[in-house]
Amino acid sequence: YKEDLSNMIEENITSNASFAAFSHTSTARAILITAYSVALAGGGIGSIAMSFVLVKMNTLSVTTTAIINLVVVHGLLLLTVPFRLHYYINKEWIFKMPFCKIVSAMVHIHMLLTFLFYVITLVIRWLVFFQWKDKVEFYRKLHAIAASATVWVVVIIFLVPVFCVEYGRSGEYNDKTCFKFHKELQQDSVKGLNYTIIVAIACITCVLLGLQIFILVKVARKFSFSLWSHQEFLAQVKNLIFICVIIICFLPYHLFRVYYIQHVNDYNQLESYNEIFLSLTSLSCLDLLSFVLSGS
């Protein structure tokens, strides 16, 4: 009886320790589960629907190639979302720390690649608008594959090793918890990298928004009498979908990140806020669904 009792006490202590390590409140947990569930459902439907649309297209435009890569990026993130949901629902990570690093890194890689493909798509559409190019397309499928492969090789060589090897290296982390790598922010090199990415994304977003507003004003002056019935104006309005996704999903996380880096050790609840803002970036997966529904 004493042995059974001691085993029960030890199990309770272990269980309580694992739940104590899960630092999110019930409210934060509900927000995280909701955000990732919406991203998984809407992103999955949008990716499947867009895949059918792309199969029917014969064009080899750079924009189409960027959207194909966007489908792949969203798909890779969505494959990791069920593991996040399992953790937030059960309050315990059961898939070992190396896989935790992969799942944790994927949301950051997804965000950076999505931002990159948005910028490429907008720049190509603007080149056509300013008549610098009649149309921008690849003349062979091999060229499109080579361009896409170049982007992915760069990601695999530079981004993946940084996240998967260096991520979570400077501190000791509990195998029962995941996505708690805030100790890395104590390193000056990590802080510098974060600040560089934040400034770059914020500045590029401002440039994109300013240029799109300039184009909309220019088109509005040209077709002032039949504005909403003109295809060119509607096409430029649809470009705002990309910029709105950046502003709504990506920018809040990066702006909060500045405060989070400076006060990461001040109080524990900041970690939950950071995770909530990070979960908003996954909602960018809904972009494909919005493209299909709007006929963009």
Side-chain angles (χ1 to χ4, degrees):
Y1 288 113
K2 288 182 178 179
E3 185 178 354
D4 291 340
L5 182 61
S6 63
N7 289 337
M8 290 175 61
I9 293 173
E10 185 177 352
E11 289 176 0
N12 287 333
I13 292 173
T14 304
S15 178
N16 290 335
S18 65
F19 280 107
F22 186 87
S23 58
H24 302 304
T25 64
S26 58
T27 302
R29 198 163 139 258
I31 295 173
L32 290 169
I33 292 173
T34 301
Y36 283 112
S37 297
V38 171
L40 181 61
I45 295 172
S47 297
I48 294 172
M50 182 59 75
S51 298
F52 282 110
V53 172
L54 292 171
V55 167
K56 297 177 181 179
M57 297 178 66
N58 295 320
T59 179
L60 290 174
S61 69
V62 177
T63 302
T64 304
T65 305
I67 297 299
I68 292 173
N69 282 276
L70 202 58
V71 173
V72 175
V73 172
H74 288 345
L76 291 175
L77 174 67
L78 295 176
L79 288 176
T80 66
V81 168
F83 300 100
R84 281 184 171 271
L85 291 173
H86 181 277
Y87 174 64
Y88 293 134
I89 292 171
N90 295 283
K91 303 181 182 180
E92 183 179 356
W93 184 257
I94 63 172
F95 304 104
K96 303 301 180 182
M97 186 54 62
F99 189 63
C100 170
K101 292 181 181 180
I102 294 174
V103 174
S104 182
M106 193 60 230
V107 70
H108 296 280
I109 294 173
H110 167 265
M111 177 169 45
L112 294 175
L113 282 178
T114 300
F115 182 80
L116 173 63
F117 290 128
Y118 280 179
V119 173
I120 291 173
T121 304
L122 287 171
V123 169
I124 295 303
R125 291 167 71 93
W126 289 339
L127 287 176
V128 176
F129 172 80
F130 287 111
Q131 296 181 350
W132 293 335
K133 294 281 186 179
D134 293 332
K135 58 181 179 178
V136 183
E137 64 179 13
F138 296 106
Y139 294 103
R140 294 182 181 178
K141 289 184 178 180
L142 183 62
H143 295 164
I145 295 173
S148 301
T150 301
V151 175
W152 285 101
V153 167
V154 170
V155 170
I156 293 172
I157 292 177
F158 293 101
L159 285 183
V160 173
V162 170
F163 278 110
C164 295
V165 178
E166 299 295 331
Y167 208 52
R169 188 177 180 182
S170 63
E172 295 182 0
Y173 299 98
N174 186 355
D175 284 340
K176 297 295 182 181
T177 60
C178 193
F179 318 127
K180 294 170 68 71
F181 299 111
H182 54 278
K183 294 178 184 178
E184 308 300 319
L185 293 175
Q186 297 174 356
Q187 300 181 53
D188 292 336
S189 59
V190 176
K191 287 183 179 180
L193 178 61
N194 273 267
Y195 285 134
T196 301
I197 294 174
I198 291 168
V199 171
I201 289 181
C203 291
I204 293 173
T205 302
C206 291
V207 172
L208 293 177
L209 181 60
L211 188 54
Q212 187 61 58
I213 292 174
F214 168 78
I215 292 173
L216 284 171
V217 172
K218 185 175 181 179
V219 175
R221 289 178 177 176
K222 185 177 180 180
F223 307 106
S224 57
F225 296 103
S226 57
L227 193 59
W228 290 102
S229 61
H230 200 278
Q231 186 176 1
E232 181 60 42
F233 181 77
L234 295 177
Q236 294 303 325
V237 169
K238 289 177 179 179
N239 281 350
L240 284 175
I241 295 178
F242 294 100
I243 301 175
C244 286
V245 172
I246 294 173
I247 294 174
I248 295 172
C249 296
F250 297 159
L251 211 54
Y253 169 74
H254 285 92
L255 295 180
F256 174 78
R257 190 79 172 168
V258 176
Y259 180 83
Y260 178 66
I261 293 172
Q262 296 174 349
H263 303 276
V264 63
N265 295 319
D266 289 357
Y267 53 97
N268 294 331
Q269 204 56 39
L270 266 182
E271 185 183 347
S272 294
Y273 297 152
N274 183 68
E275 283 294 313
I276 290 173
F277 278 107
L278 185 61
S279 69
L280 293 179
T281 65
S282 68
L283 296 179
S284 62
C285 292
L286 301 177
D287 58 355
L288 298 178
L289 184 60
S290 68
F291 297 156
V292 173
L293 295 177
S294 64
S296 299

